[in-house]
Amino acid sequence: MEALTKCPLFKGIEYQELSQLLEKIPYQIKKYEKNHMIAQSGEECRSLMIMLKGSVKGEMIDFSGKAIKIEDIEPPKPLAIAFLFGENNTCPVNIVANNSAEIFHLPKKSVISLMQLSSAFLNNFMNMISSKTQFLSDKIRFLSFQTIRGKIAHYLLQLAGPVDGEILLKKSQEELANMFGVTRPSLGRALRDLHNEGVIEARGKSVKILDRESLIMQLKK
């Protein structure tokens, strides 16, 4: 219960209220040993899963059979929340236990019941889905630019709006690199190059656009 109250899906729901809600719907808590395959790519998502203990990883298998790790997931994060509903509600990756793990399973029917019982849960669920959709939309937009410099230019111009001035980056370089689909060193080099060319002035998370026209030109390359 304590772990669940920390999950973003139950934000604003007190311990006692959550306990009362869960008394009304079926759920399971399952334990997994290290390297156990919790869910397989292409398998139907039948329940909402929330990490309680331990750690799992999402990984994809390429055509040569090599496993490529996508991310590690730890408590109190939910797993594959965006794939629980929809026509093609299959797990996009393999989910494998990094170590001994405990996962809270809430069947799809119980999720719907919980949405009807708690407006806070419904609001949190919709917010998380919307945030993931916005993230994927941004990622597709950035991937449409051919160069790293173009991706950086688009991001900075979007943050700055019509007025040049100091921009405080909301994401770390690692987060930006993941969003742009590039490596962190490549992103760092591109930022330094734009700084050295006098297009921007970059100081940590603070960036100032010095030459807007040159920055816009990066979008056309």
Side-chain angles (χ1 to χ4, degrees):
M1 285 297 301
E2 187 176 347
L4 285 178
T5 57
K6 295 176 182 176
C7 176
L9 282 169
F10 300 111
K11 180 182 178 182
I13 303 176
E14 298 296 331
Y15 184 103
Q16 186 176 357
E17 181 186 357
L18 180 56
S19 179
Q20 291 172 348
L21 287 169
L22 294 182
E23 287 177 359
K24 301 175 182 178
I25 54 177
Y27 64 88
Q28 287 182 306
I29 295 174
K30 297 183 180 181
K31 297 182 179 182
Y32 303 91
E33 297 301 320
K34 182 178 180 179
N35 295 326
H36 186 96
M37 178 76 75
I38 297 163
Q40 194 165 4
S41 175
E43 182 181 304
E44 183 183 356
C45 291
R46 294 188 175 91
S47 64
L48 172 63
M49 296 182 284
I50 300 173
M51 291 298 303
L52 297 179
K53 292 182 182 178
S55 168
V56 302
K57 61 185 175 183
E59 63 179 19
M60 300 183 76
I61 307 298
D62 66 13
F63 291 107
S64 68
K66 180 182 177 183
I68 303 169
K69 186 171 77 171
I70 306 301
E71 66 173 331
D72 288 315
I73 305 147
E74 298 177 344
K77 290 184 178 180
L79 307 176
I81 183 175
F83 299 92
L84 184 59
F85 296 100
E87 292 183 7
N88 184 26
N89 64 319
T90 57
C91 192
V93 296
N94 293 335
I95 299 176
V96 182
N98 286 323
N99 44 44
S100 296
E102 286 187 20
I103 299 178
F104 177 86
H105 288 255
L106 196 63
K108 191 184 295 186
K109 286 185 178 179
S110 294
V111 174
I112 294 171
S113 296
L114 196 52
M115 288 176 174
Q116 294 169 336
L117 291 167
S118 171
S119 59
F121 175 79
L122 174 60
N123 185 64
N124 293 335
F125 191 97
M126 298 303 292
N127 279 337
M128 288 195 72
I129 294 294
S130 294
S131 295
K132 288 188 177 294
T133 302
Q134 290 160 11
F135 171 80
L136 291 173
S137 177
D138 285 340
K139 189 145 192 172
I140 291 169
R141 186 183 299 116
F142 289 123
L143 290 174
S144 69
F145 294 104
Q146 298 299 312
T147 66
I148 299 176
R149 290 163 69 110
K151 299 179 201 297
I152 293 171
H154 177 83
Y155 181 73
L156 294 178
L157 290 166
Q158 190 177 44
L159 283 181
V163 181
D164 291 344
E166 185 178 7
I167 303 166
L168 189 62
L169 299 182
K170 299 176 181 179
K171 300 180 183 294
S172 66
Q173 280 200 17
E174 185 173 353
E175 289 172 322
L176 285 175
N178 288 334
M179 186 166 68
F180 294 170
V182 301
T183 64
R184 184 177 174 180
S186 297
L187 175 65
R189 282 194 299 271
L191 282 169
R192 284 195 300 273
D193 288 345
L194 289 170
H195 174 89
N196 293 335
E197 292 167 16
V199 179
I200 62 172
E201 182 182 336
R203 304 289 180 190
K205 282 199 168 187
S206 174
V207 177
K208 186 176 182 180
I209 297 175
L210 301 178
D211 189 343
R212 176 175 282 262
E213 290 304 315
S214 293
L215 199 59
I216 292 173
M217 287 299 296
Q218 306 302 318
L219 304 174
K220 302 175 183 179
K221 294 181 180 180

